[in-house]
Amino acid sequence: MIKLKYFFIVFILFSNIYASKIAVATKVNGLAEIMPEGKEDFSKLKPGTILSDGDMVRTGSSGFVAIIFIDDKSILKLKGNSEAVISGQRTAASISKKINMNSGTVRATISKQNVDFVIQTPTSVASVKGTDFWLVTDPATGDQIICIEGSVGLINIETGEEVDVTEDMTCTLLPDGTFDLTETDASNIPDDPTDEQEGPSQVRVYLDGPNGEQRVIVIDYQ
């Protein structure tokens, strides 16, 4: 579970200054890279990196990235061989979020939403309001949703057909549009590297304001 100190409130107070800033990479293991919106090259992703609307993140075979959204502490965890574009549009104090997953494995622990939160793949769109689930996507084999808590609305992009995936259920959506909804086999749930983390960790984030002033965010998590 990630815990934020009161510094988190400071970040929100300056949200108008940093309107395009939507998330922070809190943990990075192995090969992980970022290509900022408008750029054409990837660079190394480091803990504490601020993510802006439209940034692309990718991981190597042993890579791992944990990302927290700054408005509601929703969390994404990208495992190895994953690629995703992180997008968000601010609405008052909330961020409407859209994740375009090209391939890979992600765990999404989503706080209750008053705005949209969707994860889109080449095959489907997963729409959530507040839940904890894994999504595994492969353009060749389709998508798999493993719902740990809450529910996920999974929509077939090609046909528009929708299935609700609830707690302890797994839904596989094949490229041909076939849904397969079954009870979750615990042995098929991906490992979460942060489950083995011991003790609290801390990330310090430094932001330069429009007049050269520097703001600091301290994020404690465990």
Side-chain angles (χ1 to χ4, degrees), residues 193-215:
T194 58
D195 288 343
E196 301 175 359
Q197 182 176 323
E198 296 182 359
S201 297
Q202 186 180 89
V203 172
R204 299 180 69 87
V205 181
Y206 297 89
L207 294 174
D208 292 326
N211 299 316
E213 71 276 19
Q214 193 171 68
R215 308 292 179 184

Side-chain angles (χ1 to χ4, degrees), residues 92-208:
S94 300
I95 298 174
S96 178
K97 310 169 188 70
K98 181 178 181 180
I99 314 303
N100 285 291
M101 282 286 297
N102 299 321
S103 61
T105 302
V106 62
R107 182 176 186 177
T109 305
I110 310 303
S111 301
K112 187 175 181 180
Q113 298 290 299
N114 295 318
V115 292
D116 292 336
F117 195 124
V118 299
I119 301 180
Q120 182 168 333
T121 76
T123 305
S124 69
V125 175
S127 179
V128 300
K129 291 297 182 182
T131 186
D132 182 2
F133 69 99
W134 286 94
L135 185 151
V136 182
T137 181
D138 185 321
T141 60
D143 296 342
Q144 184 179 67
I145 292 282
I146 303 173
C147 188
I148 307 299
E149 182 178 333
S151 65
V152 182
L154 186 64
I155 303 172
N156 183 327
I157 292 177
E158 185 68 24
T159 66
E161 184 179 357
E162 181 174 0
V163 170
D164 287 330
V165 188
T166 56
E167 186 173 337
D168 297 328
M169 299 298 290
T170 294
C171 184
T172 301
L173 174 56
L174 301 177
D176 66 2
T178 302
F179 284 102
D180 182 22
L181 188 62
T182 60
E183 188 173 343
T184 297
D185 181 344
S187 65
N188 291 331
I189 300 175
D191 294 330
D192 184 338
T194 58
D195 288 343
E196 301 175 359
Q197 182 176 323
E198 296 182 359
S201 297
Q202 186 180 89
V203 172
R204 299 180 69 87
V205 181
Y206 297 89
L207 294 174
D208 292 326

Side-chain angles (χ1 to χ4, degrees), residues 27-34 43-47 57-66 78-81 193:
K27 189 173 183 63
V28 179
N29 288 335
L31 177 60
E33 298 176 306
I34 182 172
S43 59
K44 184 177 180 181
L45 179 63
K46 300 177 181 179
V57 174
R58 71 180 182 186
T59 57
S61 59
S62 61
F64 174 80
V65 176
L78 297 172
K79 295 199 70 177
N81 293 324

